[in-house]
Amino acid sequence: MELKELPKCPVEVTLSLIGEKWKVLIIRELLNGTKRFGELKKDVSGISQKVLTTNLRSMENDGLIVRKVYPQIPPRVEYTLSNVGYSLAPVLNAMASWGTDYKTFLELLKKRG
């Protein structure tokens, strides 16, 4: 994990780590357990191989995920959330709850016309 200059605002710190759409979706998938690259690519709909690779490397550097390489042929690589990564579960749960409430709000507005 690289030491880097972090913003003073705690919200900005969080956004600097997970503010990209793909990172949140990767974390969402890894909250269910360890996955291989191909599984993540399949489960995170719409992500390209290059973008997934870039985001996984960044998240590993930030200490959010752990990458484990098994020395076999062909090589097997697995990704798991670190303890710091798992600590984001309440953040994602809050986002999911808010998203559900917002969708309900929009449905009510639509019914009212």
Side-chain angles (χ1 to χ4, degrees):
M1 180 173 168
E2 298 175 13
L3 290 178
K4 60 184 176 183
E5 195 73 26
L6 293 174
K8 290 183 182 189
C9 172
V11 173
E12 286 184 63
V13 172
T14 306
L15 285 174
S16 74
L17 296 173
I18 65 165
E20 298 174 30
K21 166 188 173 181
W22 299 116
K23 289 182 180 180
V24 172
L25 298 178
I26 292 166
I27 292 168
R28 178 196 67 193
E29 293 305 320
L30 291 176
L31 282 170
N32 297 319
T34 299
K35 294 200 175 191
R36 295 176 69 177
F37 185 89
E39 292 174 301
L40 283 170
K41 175 127 178 29
K42 184 183 83 174
D43 293 342
V44 180
S45 181
I47 194 168
S48 71
Q49 184 167 329
K50 180 182 181 205
V51 171
L52 179 56
T53 299
T54 301
N55 278 280
L56 288 170
R57 285 183 184 151
S58 172
M59 294 167 73
E60 183 181 14
N61 287 337
D62 290 337
L64 299 177
I65 63 170
V66 176
R67 179 179 182 261
K68 185 171 183 179
V69 180
Y70 293 89
Q72 62 188 49
I73 296 176
R76 187 176 84 188
V77 181
E78 293 180 341
Y79 298 91
T80 306
L81 287 175
S82 66
N83 289 337
V84 173
Y86 275 113
S87 74
L88 288 164
V91 175
L92 268 67
N93 289 337
M95 291 172 67
S97 178
W98 188 90
T100 300
D101 290 347
Y102 185 70
K103 286 170 65 175
T104 302
F105 167 75
L106 289 179
E107 289 169 6
L108 288 173
L109 280 180
K110 187 177 178 182
K111 286 180 182 177
R112 288 183 185 166

